[in-house]
Every structure is written in C-alpha cells, then in structure tokens.
Amino acid sequence: IEATIIYNEPFYEFFKIINLSELTNQEVQKLLLQLDQGNEDKTIQKIIDHQPGRIETLRILTSGIPRTIVLLYEIFIDNKNGESFLDLEQLLDRVTPLYKHRMDDLAANQQEIIDTIALNWDAIATKDIARLTRLESKVISAQLNLLEKNGLVIKKTTSTKNHLYQIKERFF
C-alpha cells in the first residue's frame, strides 16, 4: 500500500484507493445477513434475535472494519453457540499474521510509535508519545503524518494545535 503513495515508488498513484469507513451496528447486521443468505441454518438471524450484544461487542472492538466483519461471519458460522470471548480469540488468531506482516514492514521508529499508540486505548497526544518513546516530537510528527497517510493511524482534531492519535484498526 505504501508504494502507491510514495512518489518515487513504481506504483505511485497506479491504483485508486477507496477507504471504507467503519460500519454501524445496522450495517454490520445487514452485511452479516447478506453473507448468510445461502446458509440454511440462518445462523446470523438467530444470533441477531437471541444474542445481539455478541455482534455489537465485536463490532466495537474491531472498529467496524468490513474485512474484519467478514472474518467474524466465518467465526460465527463455525461457532454458532459460542461466546464473545471465544469469538474474539478466534478472530485474533486469524488477523495476527496480517498485522505482524504489516508491523514488520514499518521502519523501526514507526514500529515504536505504533506500539505506543496501540497500548493506549484512548487517543494519545504527540508529547505523550515522545515521552514514552524518548523520540523527538518533530520525528514523531513526521512519522505520524506518514502513518496517517498510510491509513494506520487516525488523527483526532482538538480545539488546540495538539492533535490526538489513535490506531485506525484497533486489533492492529
């Protein structure tokens, strides 16, 4: 993905990138029901009727990312009477290799910044990242701009010039 936004890379602006926003609870249910159309057991409808919190809990934890929701569907089908904790464990097992590969592709400073942000559930300020990583604020700001451009972090604007940063995909 980075090769499509860096000027001197061969695939710079070669692909049109479409960013999908996070899904709401209703959109997640609609997506899961659509995926479940061929299933004679109507597993998703049963979960929506009898365990609606199971879907909403995992939607919140996954930030409503469509790709992760599709993985959730597979887990719901495999684990019809399961618990949210077991669903979460299975989901983490499936996405860990993807996120490990993405983390390995980052520069050392970026890995350290991502790790610091990820360990903070709430959004975190640049000065706090600097304090925890012992990197200069200007280095962190430059890396945060790249990470935001690459879709790994989101910037939460505040009423001051000091913005807050959060991991876009919470499982990452």
Side-chain angles (χ1 to χ4, degrees):
I1 292 177
E2 291 81 11
T4 63
I5 60 171
I6 298 172
Y7 179 74
N8 60 353
E9 292 291 328
F11 289 114
Y12 175 70
E13 293 185 341
F14 188 76
F15 296 99
K16 180 178 179 185
I17 297 174
I18 300 171
N19 291 315
L20 301 176
S21 59
E22 77 178 50
L23 301 177
T24 65
N25 189 35
Q26 289 76 22
E27 291 170 331
V28 168
Q29 288 181 11
K30 186 176 177 180
L31 173 59
L32 290 173
L33 286 169
Q34 187 70 31
L35 291 169
D36 202 42
Q37 268 188 339
N39 184 359
E40 294 176 14
D41 291 346
K42 301 295 179 204
T43 304
I44 297 301
Q45 189 61 56
K46 290 176 186 174
I47 292 172
I48 290 171
D49 293 342
H50 302 291
Q51 300 173 314
R54 184 175 170 197
I55 292 173
E56 179 59 6
T57 300
L58 292 171
R59 185 197 68 81
I60 291 168
L61 289 173
T62 61
S63 302
I65 305 293
R67 175 185 60 229
T68 311
I69 300 301
V70 172
L71 288 173
L72 268 179
Y73 170 74
E74 295 171 7
I75 290 167
F76 285 147
I77 295 302
D78 293 343
N79 188 21
K80 294 175 183 155
N81 300 318
E83 301 173 8
S84 293
F85 185 73
L86 183 58
D87 295 338
L88 181 61
E89 256 185 354
Q90 290 178 345
L91 184 59
L92 287 172
D93 286 345
R94 290 188 181 187
V95 296
T96 295
L98 167 71
Y99 293 132
K100 182 185 179 330
H101 176 71
R102 287 177 71 185
M103 189 71 153
D104 289 345
D105 286 347
L106 297 174
N109 283 349
Q110 290 177 338
Q111 288 180 8
E112 197 169 350
I113 292 167
I114 286 286
D115 182 57
T116 301
I117 297 171
L119 292 175
N120 216 40
W121 180 261
D122 297 320
I124 186 171
T126 304
K127 66 177 181 167
D128 295 325
I129 297 170
R131 181 178 46 81
L132 293 167
T133 61
R134 297 182 183 153
L135 295 171
E136 291 182 48
S137 289
K138 63 182 179 183
V139 171
I140 291 172
S141 293
Q143 294 301 329
L144 285 170
N145 286 335
L146 278 173
L147 292 169
E148 184 183 10
K149 198 182 263 188
N150 290 337
L152 295 173
V153 299
I154 51 176
K155 178 173 31 175
K156 301 207 173 211
T157 55
T158 62
S159 58
T160 68
K161 65 176 184 168
N162 300 322
H163 303 296
L164 302 174
Y165 295 87
Q166 189 173 33
I167 297 291
K168 185 173 182 179
E169 293 183 49
R170 301 298 275 243
F171 279 177
F172 184 62

Coordinates of all heavy atoms in Angstrom, one line a residue, residues 47-108:
I47 N -28.5 -15.3 15.8 CA -27.6 -14.5 16.7 C -28.2 -13.1 16.9 O -28.2 -12.6 18.0 CB -26.2 -14.4 16.2 CG1 -25.5 -15.8 16.2 CG2 -25.3 -13.4 16.9 CD1 -24.2 -15.9 15.5
I48 N -28.7 -12.5 15.8 CA -29.3 -11.2 16.0 C -30.5 -11.2 16.9 O -30.7 -10.3 17.7 CB -29.7 -10.6 14.6 CG1 -28.4 -10.3 13.8 CG2 -30.5 -9.4 14.7 CD1 -28.6 -9.9 12.3
D49 N -31.3 -12.2 16.8 CA -32.5 -12.3 17.6 C -32.2 -12.7 19.1 O -32.9 -12.1 20.0 CB -33.4 -13.4 17.0 CG -34.0 -13.0 15.7 OD1 -34.0 -11.8 15.3 OD2 -34.5 -13.9 14.9
H50 N -31.2 -13.5 19.3 CA -31.0 -14.1 20.7 C -29.8 -13.5 21.4 O -29.7 -13.6 22.6 CB -31.0 -15.6 20.6 CG -32.3 -16.2 20.1 ND1 -33.5 -16.1 20.7 CD2 -32.5 -16.8 18.9 CE1 -34.4 -16.7 20.0 NE2 -33.8 -17.2 18.9
Q51 N -28.8 -13.1 20.6 CA -27.5 -12.6 21.2 C -27.1 -11.3 20.5 O -25.9 -11.3 20.0 CB -26.4 -13.7 21.1 CG -26.7 -14.9 21.8 CD -25.7 -16.0 21.5 OE1 -25.3 -16.2 20.4 NE2 -25.2 -16.7 22.6
P52 N -27.9 -10.3 20.4 CA -27.5 -9.1 19.6 C -26.2 -8.4 20.2 O -25.4 -7.8 19.4 CB -28.7 -8.1 19.7 CG -29.4 -8.6 21.0 CD -29.1 -10.1 21.1
G53 N -26.0 -8.5 21.5 CA -24.8 -7.9 22.1 C -23.5 -8.6 21.6 O -22.4 -8.0 21.6
R54 N -23.6 -9.8 21.2 CA -22.4 -10.5 20.7 C -21.8 -9.9 19.5 O -20.6 -9.6 19.3 CB -22.8 -12.0 20.4 CG -21.7 -12.9 19.9 CD -22.3 -14.3 19.8 NE -21.3 -15.2 19.2 CZ -21.6 -16.3 18.6 NH1 -22.8 -16.8 18.7 NH2 -20.7 -17.1 18.1
I55 N -22.7 -9.5 18.6 CA -22.3 -8.8 17.3 C -21.8 -7.4 17.7 O -20.8 -6.9 17.2 CB -23.4 -8.8 16.3 CG1 -23.7 -10.2 15.8 CG2 -23.1 -7.8 15.1 CD1 -24.9 -10.3 14.9
E56 N -22.6 -6.6 18.5 CA -22.2 -5.2 18.8 C -20.9 -5.2 19.5 O -20.1 -4.3 19.2 CB -23.4 -4.6 19.6 CG -23.1 -3.1 20.0 CD -22.8 -2.2 18.8 OE1 -23.0 -2.6 17.6 OE2 -22.5 -1.0 19.1
T57 N -20.7 -6.1 20.4 CA -19.4 -6.1 21.2 C -18.2 -6.2 20.3 O -17.2 -5.5 20.3 CB -19.4 -7.2 22.2 OG1 -20.5 -7.0 23.1 CG2 -18.1 -7.2 23.0
L58 N -18.3 -7.2 19.4 CA -17.2 -7.4 18.5 C -17.1 -6.3 17.4 O -16.0 -6.0 16.9 CB -17.3 -8.8 17.8 CG -17.1 -9.9 18.8 CD1 -17.5 -11.3 18.2 CD2 -15.7 -10.0 19.4
R59 N -18.2 -5.7 17.0 CA -18.2 -4.6 16.1 C -17.4 -3.4 16.7 O -16.5 -2.8 16.1 CB -19.6 -4.1 15.7 CG -19.5 -3.0 14.7 CD -20.8 -2.2 14.6 NE -21.1 -1.4 15.8 CZ -20.5 -0.2 16.0 NH1 -19.6 0.3 15.2 NH2 -20.8 0.5 17.1
I60 N -17.6 -3.1 18.0 CA -16.9 -2.1 18.7 C -15.4 -2.4 18.8 O -14.6 -1.5 18.5 CB -17.5 -1.8 20.1 CG1 -18.9 -1.2 20.0 CG2 -16.6 -0.9 20.9 CD1 -19.7 -1.2 21.3
L61 N -15.1 -3.6 19.1 CA -13.7 -4.0 19.3 C -12.9 -4.0 18.0 O -11.7 -3.8 17.9 CB -13.6 -5.3 20.0 CG -13.9 -5.4 21.5 CD1 -13.9 -6.8 22.0 CD2 -13.0 -4.5 22.3
T62 N -13.6 -4.3 16.9 CA -13.0 -4.4 15.6 C -13.1 -3.0 14.8 O -12.6 -3.0 13.7 CB -13.6 -5.4 14.7 OG1 -15.0 -5.1 14.5 CG2 -13.5 -6.8 15.3
S63 N -13.6 -2.0 15.4 CA -13.8 -0.7 14.8 C -14.7 -0.8 13.6 O -14.7 0.1 12.8 CB -12.5 -0.1 14.5 OG -11.6 0.1 15.6
G64 N -15.5 -1.8 13.5 CA -16.4 -1.9 12.3 C -15.7 -2.0 11.0 O -16.3 -1.7 10.0
I65 N -14.5 -2.5 11.0 CA -13.8 -2.7 9.7 C -14.4 -3.8 8.9 O -14.5 -4.9 9.3 CB -12.3 -3.0 10.0 CG1 -11.6 -2.0 10.9 CG2 -11.5 -3.2 8.7 CD1 -11.5 -0.6 10.3
P66 N -14.9 -3.5 7.6 CA -15.6 -4.5 6.8 C -14.8 -5.8 6.7 O -15.4 -6.9 6.8 CB -15.8 -3.8 5.5 CG -15.8 -2.4 5.8 CD -14.8 -2.2 6.9
R67 N -13.5 -5.8 6.4 CA -12.7 -7.0 6.2 C -12.8 -7.9 7.5 O -13.0 -9.1 7.4 CB -11.3 -6.7 5.9 CG -10.3 -7.9 5.8 CD -8.9 -7.5 5.7 NE -8.4 -6.7 6.7 CZ -7.7 -5.6 6.6 NH1 -7.4 -5.1 5.4 NH2 -7.3 -4.9 7.6
T68 N -12.7 -7.2 8.7 CA -12.7 -8.0 9.9 C -14.1 -8.5 10.2 O -14.3 -9.6 10.7 CB -12.3 -7.1 11.1 OG1 -11.1 -6.4 10.7 CG2 -12.0 -7.9 12.3
I69 N -15.2 -7.8 9.8 CA -16.5 -8.3 9.9 C -16.8 -9.5 9.1 O -17.5 -10.5 9.6 CB -17.5 -7.2 9.6 CG1 -17.4 -5.9 10.4 CG2 -19.0 -7.7 9.7 CD1 -17.5 -6.1 11.9
V70 N -16.2 -9.6 7.9 CA -16.3 -10.8 7.1 C -15.7 -12.0 7.8 O -16.2 -13.1 7.8 CB -15.7 -10.6 5.7 CG1 -15.7 -11.9 4.9 CG2 -16.6 -9.5 4.9
L71 N -14.5 -11.7 8.4 CA -13.9 -12.8 9.2 C -14.8 -13.2 10.4 O -14.8 -14.4 10.7 CB -12.5 -12.4 9.7 CG -11.4 -12.2 8.7 CD1 -10.1 -11.6 9.3 CD2 -11.0 -13.6 8.1
L72 N -15.4 -12.2 11.0 CA -16.3 -12.5 12.1 C -17.5 -13.5 11.6 O -17.9 -14.3 12.4 CB -17.0 -11.2 12.6 CG -16.3 -10.6 13.7 CD1 -17.0 -9.3 14.1 CD2 -16.1 -11.4 14.9
Y73 N -18.0 -13.2 10.4 CA -19.0 -14.1 9.9 C -18.6 -15.6 9.9 O -19.3 -16.4 10.3 CB -19.4 -13.7 8.5 CG -20.3 -14.7 7.8 CD1 -21.7 -14.8 8.2 CD2 -19.9 -15.5 6.9 CE1 -22.5 -15.7 7.7 CE2 -20.7 -16.5 6.3 CZ -22.0 -16.6 6.7 OH -22.8 -17.5 6.1
E74 N -17.4 -15.8 9.4 CA -16.9 -17.2 9.3 C -16.8 -17.8 10.7 O -17.1 -18.9 11.0 CB -15.5 -17.2 8.7 CG -15.5 -16.8 7.2 CD -14.1 -16.6 6.6 OE1 -13.1 -16.9 7.3 OE2 -14.1 -16.1 5.4
I75 N -16.4 -16.9 11.7 CA -16.3 -17.4 13.1 C -17.7 -17.7 13.7 O -17.9 -18.7 14.3 CB -15.5 -16.4 13.9 CG1 -14.0 -16.4 13.5 CG2 -15.6 -16.7 15.4 CD1 -13.2 -15.2 14.0
F76 N -18.6 -16.8 13.4 CA -20.0 -17.1 13.9 C -20.6 -18.4 13.3 O -21.2 -19.1 14.0 CB -20.9 -15.9 13.5 CG -20.7 -14.6 14.3 CD1 -20.9 -13.4 13.7 CD2 -20.4 -14.7 15.6 CE1 -20.8 -12.2 14.4 CE2 -20.2 -13.5 16.3 CZ -20.4 -12.3 15.7
I77 N -20.3 -18.7 12.1 CA -20.8 -19.9 11.4 C -20.1 -21.1 12.1 O -20.8 -22.1 12.3 CB -20.5 -19.9 9.9 CG1 -21.4 -18.8 9.3 CG2 -20.9 -21.2 9.3 CD1 -22.9 -18.8 9.5
D78 N -18.8 -21.0 12.3 CA -18.1 -22.1 12.9 C -18.4 -22.3 14.4 O -18.3 -23.4 14.9 CB -16.6 -21.9 12.8 CG -16.1 -22.0 11.3 OD1 -16.9 -22.5 10.5 OD2 -15.0 -21.5 11.0
N79 N -18.9 -21.3 15.0 CA -19.1 -21.3 16.5 C -20.5 -20.8 16.8 O -20.6 -19.7 17.4 CB -18.0 -20.4 17.1 CG -18.0 -20.5 18.6 OD1 -18.5 -21.5 19.2 ND2 -17.4 -19.5 19.3
K80 N -21.5 -21.5 16.4 CA -22.9 -21.0 16.4 C -23.3 -20.6 17.8 O -24.1 -19.7 18.0 CB -23.8 -22.0 15.8 CG -23.6 -22.2 14.3 CD -24.4 -23.3 13.8 CE -24.0 -23.4 12.3 NZ -24.3 -24.7 11.7
N81 N -23.0 -21.4 18.8 CA -23.4 -21.2 20.2 C -22.3 -20.6 21.1 O -22.4 -20.7 22.3 CB -24.0 -22.5 20.8 CG -25.1 -23.0 20.0 OD1 -26.0 -22.3 19.6 ND2 -25.1 -24.3 19.8
G82 N -21.3 -20.0 20.4 CA -20.2 -19.6 21.1 C -20.4 -18.3 22.0 O -21.5 -17.7 22.0
E83 N -19.3 -18.0 22.7 CA -19.3 -16.8 23.5 C -18.5 -15.7 22.8 O -17.6 -16.1 22.0 CB -18.7 -17.1 24.8 CG -19.5 -18.2 25.6 CD -18.7 -18.6 26.9 OE1 -17.7 -18.0 27.2 OE2 -19.2 -19.6 27.5
S84 N -18.7 -14.5 23.2 CA -17.9 -13.4 22.5 C -16.4 -13.6 22.8 O -15.6 -13.2 21.9 CB -18.4 -12.1 23.1 OG -19.7 -11.8 22.6
F85 N -16.0 -14.0 23.9 CA -14.6 -14.2 24.2 C -14.0 -15.2 23.3 O -12.9 -15.0 22.8 CB -14.4 -14.6 25.7 CG -12.9 -14.6 26.1 CD1 -12.2 -13.5 26.2 CD2 -12.3 -15.9 26.2 CE1 -10.9 -13.5 26.6 CE2 -10.9 -15.9 26.6 CZ -10.2 -14.7 26.7
L86 N -14.6 -16.3 23.1 CA -14.1 -17.3 22.1 C -14.1 -16.8 20.7 O -13.1 -17.0 20.0 CB -15.0 -18.6 22.2 CG -14.5 -19.8 21.3 CD1 -13.1 -20.2 21.7 CD2 -15.5 -20.9 21.5
D87 N -15.1 -16.0 20.3 CA -15.1 -15.4 19.0 C -13.9 -14.5 18.9 O -13.3 -14.4 17.8 CB -16.4 -14.6 18.8 CG -17.7 -15.4 18.8 OD1 -17.6 -16.6 18.5 OD2 -18.8 -14.8 19.0
L88 N -13.7 -13.7 19.9 CA -12.6 -12.7 19.9 C -11.2 -13.4 19.7 O -10.4 -13.0 19.0 CB -12.6 -11.9 21.1 CG -11.5 -10.8 21.3 CD1 -11.6 -9.8 20.2 CD2 -11.7 -10.1 22.6
E89 N -11.1 -14.5 20.5 CA -9.8 -15.3 20.4 C -9.6 -15.8 19.0 O -8.5 -15.8 18.5 CB -9.9 -16.5 21.4 CG -9.1 -16.3 22.6 CD -9.1 -17.6 23.5 OE1 -9.9 -18.6 23.2 OE2 -8.4 -17.6 24.5
Q90 N -10.6 -16.4 18.4 CA -10.5 -16.9 17.0 C -10.2 -15.8 16.0 O -9.4 -16.0 15.1 CB -11.8 -17.7 16.7 CG -12.0 -19.0 17.4 CD -13.3 -19.7 17.0 OE1 -14.2 -19.1 16.4 NE2 -13.4 -20.9 17.4
L91 N -10.9 -14.7 16.2 CA -10.6 -13.6 15.3 C -9.2 -13.1 15.4 O -8.5 -12.8 14.4 CB -11.6 -12.4 15.6 CG -11.5 -11.2 14.7 CD1 -11.8 -11.6 13.3 CD2 -12.5 -10.1 15.2
L92 N -8.7 -13.0 16.6 CA -7.3 -12.6 16.8 C -6.3 -13.6 16.2 O -5.3 -13.2 15.6 CB -7.0 -12.4 18.3 CG -7.6 -11.2 19.0 CD1 -7.4 -11.2 20.5 CD2 -7.0 -9.9 18.4
D93 N -6.6 -14.9 16.3 CA -5.8 -15.9 15.7 C -5.7 -15.7 14.2 O -4.6 -15.9 13.5 CB -6.3 -17.3 16.0 CG -6.0 -17.7 17.4 OD1 -5.1 -17.1 18.1 OD2 -6.6 -18.7 17.9
R94 N -6.8 -15.3 13.6 CA -6.8 -15.1 12.1 C -6.2 -13.8 11.6 O -5.6 -13.8 10.5 CB -8.3 -15.1 11.6 CG -8.9 -16.5 11.7 CD -10.2 -16.6 11.0 NE -10.8 -17.9 11.2 CZ -11.9 -18.3 10.6 NH1 -12.5 -17.5 9.8 NH2 -12.3 -19.5 10.8
V95 N -6.2 -12.7 12.4 CA -5.7 -11.5 11.9 C -4.2 -11.2 12.4 O -3.6 -10.4 11.8 CB -6.6 -10.3 12.3 CG1 -7.9 -10.3 11.7 CG2 -6.7 -10.1 13.8
T96 N -3.7 -12.0 13.3 CA -2.4 -11.8 13.8 C -1.3 -11.8 12.7 O -0.5 -11.0 12.6 CB -2.1 -12.7 15.0 OG1 -2.9 -12.4 16.1 CG2 -0.6 -12.6 15.4
P97 N -1.3 -12.8 11.8 CA -0.3 -12.9 10.8 C -0.4 -11.6 9.9 O 0.7 -11.1 9.5 CB -0.6 -14.1 10.0 CG -1.4 -15.0 10.9 CD -2.2 -14.1 11.8
L98 N -1.5 -11.2 9.6 CA -1.7 -10.0 8.7 C -1.1 -8.8 9.4 O -0.3 -8.1 8.8 CB -3.2 -9.7 8.4 CG -3.5 -8.3 7.8 CD1 -3.0 -8.3 6.4 CD2 -5.0 -8.1 7.9
Y99 N -1.4 -8.6 10.6 CA -0.9 -7.4 11.4 C 0.6 -7.5 11.7 O 1.3 -6.5 11.7 CB -1.7 -7.1 12.6 CG -3.1 -6.7 12.3 CD1 -4.2 -7.3 12.9 CD2 -3.4 -5.7 11.3 CE1 -5.5 -6.9 12.6 CE2 -4.6 -5.3 11.0 CZ -5.7 -5.9 11.7 OH -7.0 -5.5 11.4
K100 N 1.1 -8.7 11.9 CA 2.5 -8.9 12.1 C 3.3 -8.6 10.9 O 4.3 -7.9 10.9 CB 2.8 -10.3 12.5 CG 4.3 -10.5 12.8 CD 4.7 -12.0 13.1 CE 6.1 -12.2 13.4 NZ 7.1 -11.3 12.7
H101 N 2.8 -9.0 9.7 CA 3.4 -8.6 8.5 C 3.4 -7.1 8.2 O 4.5 -6.6 7.8 CB 2.7 -9.4 7.3 CG 3.3 -9.0 5.9 ND1 4.5 -9.4 5.5 CD2 2.7 -8.2 5.0 CE1 4.7 -9.0 4.3 NE2 3.7 -8.2 3.9
R102 N 2.3 -6.5 8.5 CA 2.3 -5.0 8.4 C 3.2 -4.3 9.3 O 3.8 -3.3 8.9 CB 0.8 -4.5 8.6 CG -0.1 -4.9 7.4 CD -1.5 -4.5 7.6 NE -1.7 -3.0 7.5 CZ -2.8 -2.4 7.8 NH1 -3.9 -3.2 8.1 NH2 -2.9 -1.1 7.7
M103 N 3.3 -4.8 10.5 CA 4.2 -4.2 11.5 C 5.7 -4.4 11.1 O 6.5 -3.5 11.2 CB 4.0 -4.9 12.9 CG 4.7 -4.2 14.0 SD 4.0 -2.6 14.3 CE 4.4 -2.4 16.0
D104 N 6.0 -5.6 10.6 CA 7.4 -5.9 10.1 C 7.8 -5.0 9.0 O 9.0 -4.7 8.8 CB 7.5 -7.3 9.7 CG 7.5 -8.3 10.9 OD1 7.6 -7.8 12.1 OD2 7.3 -9.5 10.7
D105 N 6.8 -4.5 8.2 CA 7.1 -3.7 7.0 C 7.4 -2.2 7.4 O 7.9 -1.4 6.6 CB 6.0 -3.7 6.0 CG 6.0 -5.0 5.2 OD1 7.0 -5.8 5.3 OD2 5.0 -5.3 4.6
L106 N 7.1 -1.9 8.7 CA 7.3 -0.5 9.1 C 8.8 -0.2 9.5 O 9.5 -1.2 10.0 CB 6.4 -0.2 10.3 CG 4.9 -0.2 10.1 CD1 4.1 0.0 11.4 CD2 4.5 0.8 9.0
A107 N 9.2 1.0 9.4 CA 10.5 1.4 9.9 C 10.5 1.3 11.5 O 9.5 1.3 12.1 CB 10.8 2.8 9.5
A108 N 11.7 1.2 12.0 CA 11.8 1.0 13.5 C 11.1 2.1 14.3 O 10.4 1.8 15.3 CB 13.3 0.9 13.9

